[in-house]
């Protein structure tokens, strides 16, 4: 981490296993990044006893009490009206007011996005924020955006996602020139809907700086054919969740196969250590932490069902993005791309 | 099979392994369904020597010579203009003229759909045909449509897909009341784009006869949460291909794991028989055969890269659909649904 003592705001009440899993995640993250400070937003009566057991964490944390929690089934519109004093809203305000370098929340995604848009606003040149996730492939991880925030996207939105995804992949995957592709139903130029075809044209035009490699089909995601996969939030969400569901199905088939005979079980015992590596590659906890990219501040969303390991990974993501000043990179790339696209302006 | 001596037209020149794989597939299918007759469309000089070796197949086949083939990279518009004497077009005409009960082709999907629409026309009440595929799940197989023919779909299209998918699932999965769901990015009513929300409303209204169970997210496909998954051709194609790619990634990770140590390899040898069952469940050849549903005639598309086992499965699909008169079922269900939706008409 380049800056000293980065500060992470935590929505301690967000997620299915809150507050325990969030506090334990902070402990795990502190172990790995001992210079971190935390602002803990949530119910003090529940947080205090958890902190009592961990003097190290207590020493670098400030607890900000609020009894208000946004539940998982709350509609974003209701959350906006009623949730002004919720742990989630206070966490976002901490980022807005530069008290924290990033927020991590495992709470309601729709509410988190709606509140973040209003409290943080979008970055210059960005019309809509996109949720950006990390996916496993046969080779290295890749990133995909949008994975659920924007159901309908025009070419401009997709173009901006590509610019933001490029910056994100440079930071998170450490790539000097990430291969950007548009998710489509064929690799030919004429394939797909109008937004995708127009965005491809824009990405080809802008050239300079962005390594646009054309379209990618669903089956090539897992092949590792792209580092950044750009798509609308409807298709992206479906692709991501289909990937997760299929991986889980494969593990389930495998488990059934091993249980089908004594010999198969014996084989499992022999291969167990190697199979653990297989399972690790597919472990969703290791890919946890989706950034709400395009906002004036860093907001990382953990999957709601995650345990402390998963949430700790989301905290790690937030620290990496903050220490690399991801948003400055996006603004810079956006300016360069705009002047390449509209040289007369 | 209810009717005797069903006749299948084969586009012998379609697919990456044509004509050999297509002829071998006919042999495999004949072995399983000995009453079948075949009309073979393609280059006689290449077909005749293959048939010479198999008197049984030769005895129940008629060869119709044509030197014209539609290549895989031909644009549908060009295929329409130039391909009138191609093996694919002649096969479609055989279905149109009631010389064959169904066509099976492993050729160019876009050309097959474009030609079929013009030569066969759509069924009464159906605006657009949809490509319908079979997918593996943790439980039984499910079907999904559209998987690539229609990039943009309105609510009416999706509604018609649901009706067609219902008939297809009754025949292919043998279910009395298939669970129909719309692919979406959440299960709440308010989620998704306008077409999906409106189609849901229509499906709820029509009630009678259709077992509509709401929305389904990508991760629940592999859980087996639906028998019929209805979606536009863009999202459907992406979901199907992402599923295929992820399954292939899992197999590849597993292979790497087994090769990582001697003990792991020993374990593999013990578990081999059981693992074969695992591989079988994911074998795309067993799910091969996508119907172009909604046409005045049965057209089954085999994946272009399939071997004889895969194409033989597509022939099996065609026979099952023909013997159960799938299109009569669709017309009947469409009429019933229309009078439920528009009782005043």
């Amino acid at each position: 981490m380049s800056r000293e003592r980065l500060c992470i705001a935590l929505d301690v009440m967000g997620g299915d296993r809150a507050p325990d899993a969030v506090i334990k995640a902070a402990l795990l993250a502190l172990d790995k990044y001992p210079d971190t400070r935390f602002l803990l937003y949530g119910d003090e009566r529940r947080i205090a006893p958890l902190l009592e057991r961990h003097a190290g964490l207590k020493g670098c944390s400030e607890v900000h009490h609020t009894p208000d929690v946004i539940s998982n089934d709350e509609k974003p519109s209701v959350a906006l009206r009623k949730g002004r004093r919720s742990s989630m809203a206070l966490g976002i305000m901490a980022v807005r007011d530069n008290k924290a370098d990033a927020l991590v929340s495992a709470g309601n995604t729709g509410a988190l996005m709606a509140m973040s848009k209003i409290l943080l606003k979008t970055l210059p040149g960005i019309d809509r924020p996109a949720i950006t996730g990390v996916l496993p492939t046969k080779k290295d991880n890749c990133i995909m955006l949008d994975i659920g925030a924007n159901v309908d996207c025009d070419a401009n939105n997709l173009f901006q996602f590509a610019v933001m995804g490029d910056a994100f992949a440079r930071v998170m995957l450490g790539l000097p020139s990430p291969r950007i592709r548009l998710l489509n139903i064929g690799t030919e130029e004429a394939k797909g809907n109008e937004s995708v075809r127009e965005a491809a044209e824009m990405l080809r035009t802008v050239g300079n700086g962005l390594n646009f490699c054309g379209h990618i089909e669903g089956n090539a995601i897992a092949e590792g054919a792209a580092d950044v996969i750009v798509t609308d939030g409807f298709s992206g969400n479906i692709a991501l969740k289909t990937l997760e569901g299929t991986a889980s199905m494969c593990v389930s088939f495998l488990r059934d196969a091993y249980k089908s005979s004594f010999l198969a079980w014996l084989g499992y015992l022999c291969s167990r250590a190697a199979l653990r590596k297989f399972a690790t590659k597919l472990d969703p906890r290791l890919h946890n932490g989706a950034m709400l990219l395009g906002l004036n501040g860093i907001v990382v969303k953990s999957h709601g069902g995650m345990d402390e390991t998963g949430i700790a990974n989301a905290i790690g993501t937030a620290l990496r993005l903050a220490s690399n000043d991801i948003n400055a990179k996006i603004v810079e790339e956006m300016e360069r791309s705009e002047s390449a696209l509209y040289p007369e302006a």
Side-chain angles (χ1 to χ4, degrees), chain A residues 158-209:
Chain A
L158 295 176
F159 177 79
Q160 292 165 13
F161 295 173
V163 172
M164 298 195 292
D166 182 64
F168 189 86
R170 283 172 202 257
V171 170
M172 286 306 294
L173 309 180
L175 298 171
S177 180
R179 294 161 303 155
I180 301 169
R181 288 186 189 272
L182 284 159
L183 189 57
N184 202 339
I185 63 170
T187 50
E188 305 87 349
E189 279 188 28
K191 287 276 184 178
N193 57 36
E194 212 181 304
S195 308
V196 171
R197 289 197 309 262
E198 261 185 56
E201 190 52 41
M202 289 171 78
L203 286 164
R204 267 184 224 108
T205 309
V206 76
N208 179 28

Side-chain angles (χ1 to χ4, degrees), chain A residues 108-155:
Chain A
N108 182 325
T109 312
L112 184 64
M113 180 56 103
M115 281 189 183
S116 298
K117 274 202 269 192
I118 287 188
L119 293 170
L120 298 175
K121 310 277 185 306
T122 54
L123 289 171
I126 303 296
D127 295 318
R128 295 200 207 163
I131 305 177
T132 309
V134 178
L135 279 68
T137 82
K138 278 186 198 173
K139 297 171 189 165
D140 297 310
N141 288 340
C142 70
I143 72 143
M144 183 150 76
L145 74 168
D146 175 26
I147 56 173
N150 307 283
V151 165
D152 296 301
C153 292
D154 64 18

Side-chain angles (χ1 to χ4, degrees), chain A residues 10-13 40-47 63-70 82-91:
Chain A
L10 288 178
D11 170 10
V12 183
M13 309 313 283
L40 307 178
Y41 293 91
D43 188 339
E44 197 167 21
R45 287 162 306 180
R46 299 187 64 189
I47 296 173
V63 180
H64 295 263
H65 174 70
T66 172
D68 293 7
V69 181
I70 291 169
K82 294 191 185 170
R84 300 181 62 85
R85 300 296 309 159
S86 64
S87 54
M88 185 185 277
L90 296 181

Side-chain angles (χ1 to χ4, degrees), chain A residues 227-242:
Chain A
D227 304 309
V228 178
I229 298 162
V230 175
T231 182
D232 63 86
F234 194 81
S235 307
N237 186 280
I238 286 169
L240 174 74
K241 287 184 179 159
T242 302

